[in-house]
Amino acid sequence: MGRIFFLLIILVPTTSFAFYQFDDSKNSIDARGFLRVAGWATQNPNNEFLYEDDNDAGIYGLARLLVDAKLGDSVRFEFNAYEFYSSSALEWTQRNDKKKNAAFTIDRMNVAVSYDRLDVTIGRQPINLATVYYFTPNDFFAPFSASTFYRVYKPGVDAIRAEFRAGMLTQITLVGVLGYKNDAGELSGWSDEVATNKSSTIGRITTVVNDYEFGLLGGTVSGDNVIGGSFQGEFFGTGLRVEGNFRERDDGNTSEISAELD
C-alpha cells in the first residue's frame, strides 16, 4: 500500500498556483513558492573509528520563493531566492557543527526597463550566451555542468545587460558583470568585495540569414580577452548548433568549440 501511495505522489501531475496574484491589466504581481523535504535514518556498524554514533538521522529541506512583477508596459521586477538546510552525518563541512548546514541564496533580483527597441536589465540575473545545450563554452557566467538536466533556475550574477533590436532578425547584446575576490572561508568560495580585474564586459551580435542564425561575440571575461562565435540552423530535417571561442589568458591561451545535433 505504501508503494502505491508513493507512486501516486511522484507520477500523478498536479497544477501549481500562485499563492498571491494581482493583475489589473496594466500592473501585475505573481508570487509562487515550493518546499522540498526529505529525511533519513541509519543504524551504523560497530566501528568507532568511522562512526561516532550508533545511529544517525538527518533532514534536508529546500524552500524557494519566486516573485514576478510588472509596472505598466515598461518596467519588470524579478526575485528568485531559496533557503537550504541540511542536517546530515553524510556531509563534511569546515564548521563547528559538521552535521548541520544552512544557506540563504538569492539567485535573481533585478529590474528591467523597456523603451522602444531597447531593453535594459540591472541586478542579479542569469546571463547565458550559449547556443548549444550540454557543452556550452560560450556560457561564461555561472554555467550549468554538462550532466545537469534540471535547468529551470539558472543562477544569476550581478550584472547590467542591454538588448537592442537592430532589425527584425538582428539583435545586439551588451553585458557587464561584476567580479569578486576569492575567499576560501566562505561557503560559495567568493567574498563580497568587488575585484575589477575579475569583472567582465562582453558584446554579442546575432542575425538570421536564410533561416540560419550567425553570432559573433567579443570582450573581456574575468580579465581575459575573448572572441568567439556561434551558428545554428537546420539541414535536411536535422538541427545543427555550433559555438566556440578563443580566450587569451596569462597562463596560456585556450580554444573551445562545441557542436550538437538535434
Side-chain angles (χ1 to χ4, degrees):
M1 184 66 183
R3 294 179 181 177
I4 296 176
F5 180 72
F6 176 74
L7 288 174
L8 287 175
I9 292 176
I10 63 173
L11 295 179
V12 178
T14 57
T15 304
S16 175
F17 299 97
F19 63 79
Y20 178 79
Q21 194 169 30
F22 168 80
D23 192 343
D24 66 356
S25 73
K26 290 186 178 180
N27 310 306
S28 66
I29 299 176
D30 185 283
R32 300 173 181 267
F34 71 80
L35 177 66
R36 182 186 303 154
V37 179
W40 59 88
T42 62
Q43 183 175 358
N44 300 323
N46 186 18
N47 188 326
E48 295 183 357
F49 179 77
L50 295 178
Y51 303 96
E52 296 180 0
D53 304 315
D54 294 334
N55 300 282
D56 278 312
I59 188 171
Y60 158 89
L62 180 69
R64 186 179 289 273
L65 173 65
L66 304 97
V67 179
D68 290 290
K70 182 182 71 171
L71 181 61
D73 296 328
S74 302
V75 180
R76 293 180 179 272
F77 172 78
E78 180 186 29
F79 180 82
N80 184 332
Y82 68 87
E83 174 73 23
F84 165 83
Y85 174 80
S86 175
S87 172
S88 169
L90 305 178
E91 289 190 357
W92 178 265
T93 56
Q94 300 297 321
R95 296 177 181 273
N96 293 332
D97 187 349
K98 67 180 181 180
K99 295 184 179 180
K100 295 181 180 179
N101 183 24
F104 176 74
T105 302
I106 298 177
D107 270 349
R108 305 178 187 181
M109 187 169 65
N110 59 76
V111 175
V113 180
S114 301
Y115 177 76
D116 195 17
R117 293 187 292 175
L118 178 65
D119 301 324
V120 178
T121 305
I122 302 174
R124 182 159 295 182
Q125 57 185 291
I127 303 292
N128 190 353
L129 303 177
T131 300
V132 300
Y133 186 80
Y134 289 106
F135 299 94
T136 55
N138 288 355
D139 189 6
F140 302 106
F141 310 109
F144 288 112
S145 66
S147 60
T148 302
F149 292 95
Y150 187 72
R151 304 189 177 198
V152 177
Y153 303 113
K154 187 179 191 297
V157 291
D158 297 330
I160 178 171
R161 179 178 60 187
E163 305 269 10
F164 179 70
R165 294 177 291 278
M168 291 292 293
L169 301 174
T170 302
Q171 180 166 292
I172 300 173
T173 302
L174 298 175
V175 176
V177 179
L178 287 179
Y180 294 89
K181 292 185 177 180
N182 300 89
D183 187 347
E186 291 293 331
L187 191 62
S188 65
W190 304 94
S191 72
D192 57 359
E193 187 176 352
V194 175
T196 55
N197 63 326
K198 293 182 178 294
S199 297
S200 306
T201 304
I202 197 163
R204 182 179 72 164
I205 181 171
T206 59
T207 189
V208 176
V209 179
N210 294 330
D211 295 331
Y212 299 106
E213 183 191 87
F214 299 86
L216 181 66
L217 61 84
T220 60
V221 176
S222 300
D224 301 333
N225 294 323
V226 175
I227 186 170
S230 62
F231 168 83
Q232 60 179 324
E234 186 175 297
F235 297 90
F236 306 105
T238 301
L240 173 64
R241 303 170 186 265
V242 182
E243 69 177 63
N245 64 73
F246 170 81
R247 190 161 179 169
E248 187 180 42
R249 309 173 63 104
D250 293 335
D251 56 353
N253 302 335
T254 61
S255 297
E256 291 183 297
I257 188 169
S258 177
E260 180 178 279
L261 293 175
D262 295 338

